Amino acid sequence: MAATPVQVAVLDDYQGIATPKFAHLVDQGKISVTYFPNTLNVRNADEREAQIKRLQPFEILSTMRERSLFNADILGSLPNLKVLLTTGARNFAIDHEFAATKGIVVAGTQRTSEAANGPDPTTQQTWALILGLAKHIAREDNALKTDKSYWQGQDLAISLPGKTLGLLGLGRLGQASAKIAILAFGMKVVAWSSSLTQEKADAAAAEIGLPAGSIRVAASKLDLLREADVVSLHYVLSERSRGLVGKEELAAMKPSALLINTSRGPLVDEAALFETLKAGKIRGAAIDVFDIEPLPADSPWRTTEWGKNGRSEVLLSPHMGYAVEDYIGSLYDQVVENLERHLAGQELLLEMAEQTIPQMRGLPLALHGTIIHTLDASTLEILQDCLLIIDSDGKIEKIFKDTPADKVNACISQAGHSPDVFPVKYLRRGEFLIPGFIDTHYHAPQYAQRGLGRDQTLLEWLENVTFAHERKFEDVAYAKRMYTACVQAGIKQGVTTASYYGSVHVEATKILAETCLEQRQRAFVGKCNMNRSSPEWYRDVSAEESLKETRELVAHVRSIDSEGKLVKPILTPRFAITCDDTLLSGLGRIVDETPDIHVQTHFNEAVDEMEYTRQLYPQFQHEADLYDEFGLLGPQTILAHSIFLKEEEMDRIKAKGCGIAHCPISTATLGEFMMAPIREYLRRGIKVGLGTDVGGGFSSSMLDIMRHAFIISKARETFTKGADPALKLNEGFFLATLGGAQVCGIHDKVGNFIEGKEFDALEIHTIGSEPCGSLGVMSPIEDEDSIEAIFEKFLMTGDDRNIAKVYIAGQSVKETA
Ligand SMILES: Nc1nc2[nH]cnc2c(=O)[nH]1
C-alpha cells in the first residue's frame, strides 16, 4: 500500500512561484501541498485563530522570510509541525529558541553564487526608488494617464551627479549602493554606523574597487543627516537599531533631501516620518518596508494624497526589494531540496537554530545617563552620568559611576569591550532609568472587571461580580485573548514582574503562564484553589482534583521555563473560606515536597472575611496560626492585604520571613476604608511590596498604587496622631521596586541596579513636544527643575506615556507588547 503523502503547507508565496517547484514531489505521491498565499497578522486575535486553525494539520511548513510570524504562541499551537522551512539565512519572525524546545527543525536558504553577481535585488530596488523619486516617475506617469491635457506641469526632477548620498550602514548592501552612486552617478558618499571607522570605510571602498577616502565617514549620525541629499538605510534590524531614524534625525535632514528605506520598516520611527512628510519638511521619501506588512488596507500611507497641499512626494513599493523572479526561484529550489532531504531522512541544509539564537537573546548594550533606584527602604540613589553595561544574557555586567560622556569609550575598553562596535544609548535631560515595577498581587482573570462593585463588601463583591467573571476562563480562547491583553497592559505600564492568581481552570492558567513567557514578562503564576463557599459552577470539584490540577500546572510551568528564568509556579489558595482542610493540608504537602515553591493568599483582608474564617476554622487563634498550621507560611509566602494583624501574628510572619502585598486601592474602595499599618511593618523589618490587586483594585498602574499608598499612609499618620508617619517618596518607590522583589524572593536578581543582577528597567522620558514641552499629561518640566524634581513629578503625575522603554532581562519588550 502506498504511504500517505506528507502534508505540506506553503505560505506567503504571493506570486505562486513555489507551485511548479513542488510539483514532482506531488506527482510522485510523496507530499500533498496546500497553498496559503495570504499572510495573516497573528497579532490580531481573529487572524491568529485562523492561522492556527488552517496550519494545525501540517507536518511541514514553508514560509517566506519575515512575512508570517511564528512566535511561541503559534508554534506551540501547531502540534503536528516537525519542520519549518523558510527562505533567507535569517528569519527574526521565528522564535528559534521555542522551536528548539518543541523539537521543530527550522532550516533556511543561502544566496546562490549567480544571485551574488552584480547588484543584488535589494540594491536594484534602492536605485529604482532613488531614481523614481528624483525623477518623479510615478507622479508623472499618473498625471499623464489621468489628465489627458497634462504635459510637464509640476516641479522639475532632481539631478544626482555631484549630490551627496548618505548611507546609514555600510555592510554588503550599503557598499553596493556606494559603488553605484560613485561610479554610475558621480555622487559623493558619506556613511555612518555605530561601529564604522574611516579605516573600515576605506577597506569597504577597496572591496568595491575604489580608492581610500571614496567613502567618507560622518562624525555622527546627525552630521550625516544634515549633509546628505539622499539618505538611504542599509542596517540590520535589532533591538538596538530599532528607531535609528526618529524625530530628531528627521528634523536634522535638509528640506530638499530624500529618504529611502529598503531595509526594514522599524528602523525608522514610522509615525515621525509620516508627520515629517505630511508637513512637507523634507522633499520626499521612497519606502519599500513598513512596520506592519502587508500594509493594512486603511493605512494612511495608502490613502494620503502625497505631493499635494504642501505634503512631500512619497513613492511606495510593497516590500519587493528581494522579490525578483530568479532570486525567489532559487530560494524555492533550496526549500525543495531540504524537503527532499527530510523525506529521505537526511539532515537538512542550513539548520538555523544555532546561528540565530544568540541574536534572539539580544546583543550587549550600554546605557549612559541618569539612573534612580533604592538600596533599601530609606536609601534612594540618583546617579547622574552613569554608564551601565548590559551583557548579552541581560545581566548588568558593569556600572561606572560619575562617567561623563567623553569617558564612555574608555570605560567600555576598560570593561574589555571594543568601543567601536559596542552600541551605547545616551539618555538626555528629562530621561532616566528606574528598576521595573513589581506587582506583588494581581488576579489576571479580573482584568476586565476592574472598576466594578466598589460599594460592596469583599464577600458580596466575590459573589456578585467576581466569580461570574472568572468563570469565563473555562473558554480557553477567551483566556488567551484576555490574558494577552492583560500582560501587554502590564508591560506597557512598566510591570516587569507580576505575581498572578489565575482562575480555577488549569488549562486557562497554563495559557497565562505561556503568555507571560511569550511576552517575556517575569511572573509567578498560580491556579486558584477553591473547593467550597462559592457557586457550584465556579469551584474545584473536590480537594483531590484541585491538588491534582495544581500539580499539573506546576509541572507545566516548569516545562515551559525549565530553569525558571522568567516564569515560575506559585500556589494560590484563594483564602481559607474557599478551601477546606483537606485542600489546605494538600497544598502544605506540595510546599513540603518542593521547598522552593512560592505561595500567595489573602490574609486578614476584611471584617466579613475574618469573621467567616473564624466560624469555619474556630480551632485557630488567628489567620497566621491557621495558615502556619497547614504549612503555608515561609519566606516564599506573599500575604495580600494584611490589614488587621494581631501583635502575635506580626511576630509570626516576621519569624517565618513572609512578605506582605500592600494593595491600597482595593482595601480603600472595597467594603470599608481600610488602612494597612505599613509603617509598623517596616519598623519591624517585615518585607512589604505593592500590589494592584486587579480587579479588587480598579487600576493596573503601579504609579497609581504608589500614589494611593502615599494617601493611605497620610490618613494613617493623622489617625495615629503622628505615631505612624506617612510614607516618603523614596519609600513608596522602594515598595514598588526593591520591596516587591524582596516579597517575591527575587531581590538577588532584580529590584535595583547592582552588578550581576538582571537588567529589568524602565526608560522614563518626561519631555515631549506637547504644549510647554509636556509628554502626555505629566507636569511639564521647567528649566529650573532639578533631577529630584523631575523624578518626583514623574512618580506623582506620569503615566505609561512616559515609560518609553521596558527592559526585562536586558531585552526591550514594550514595543512588542
Ligand atoms: N481582593 C480580593 N480578595 C479576595 N479574597 C478572596 N478572593 C479575593 C479576590 O479575588 N480579591
Side-chain angles (χ1 to χ4, degrees), residues 671-688:
E672 299 102 303
F673 179 86
M674 293 173 292
M675 299 175 286
I678 296 306
R679 175 62 63 200
E680 179 61 23
Y681 299 148
L682 291 176
R683 216 180 269 132
R684 287 167 179 259
I686 295 173
K687 298 180 291 189
V688 186

Side-chain angles (χ1 to χ4, degrees), residues 500-516:
Y500 287 118
Y501 263 83
S503 64
V504 77
H505 315 100
V506 68
E507 290 308 323
T509 311
K510 286 181 191 170
I511 289 173
L512 173 59
E514 288 160 12
T515 305
C516 296

Side-chain angles (χ1 to χ4, degrees), residues 468-506:
H469 270 89
E470 293 196 5
R471 178 195 198 180
K472 293 187 199 170
F473 287 77
E474 66 196 3
D475 172 354
V476 288
Y478 177 81
K480 181 67 200 172
R481 274 201 309 280
M482 200 53 79
Y483 285 153
T484 300
C486 153
V487 174
Q488 272 177 357
I491 291 176
K492 197 169 166 193
Q493 295 179 99
V495 176
T496 50
T497 303
S499 174
Y500 287 118
Y501 263 83
S503 64
V504 77
H505 315 100
V506 68

Side-chain angles (χ1 to χ4, degrees), residues 443 446 458 461-462 574-575 602 605 641 693:
H443 291 266
Q446 296 174 14
L458 172 64
W461 168 81
L462 286 172
R574 183 155 222 137
F575 54 0
H602 299 89
E605 180 183 1
H641 310 298
D693 188 22

Side-chain angles (χ1 to χ4, degrees), residues 441 443 446 449 458-459 461-462 466-467 470 501 528 573-575 577-578 601-603 605 609 640-641 663 666-667 670 693-697:
H441 184 60
H443 291 266
Q446 296 174 14
Q449 74 174 70
L458 172 64
L459 298 186
W461 168 81
L462 286 172
T466 304
F467 293 148
E470 293 196 5
Y501 263 83
C528 184
R574 183 155 222 137
F575 54 0
I577 292 177
T578 55
T601 196
H602 299 89
F603 190 68
E605 180 183 1
E609 170 267 317
H641 310 298
C663 309
S666 71
T667 48
L670 264 188
D693 188 22
V694 162

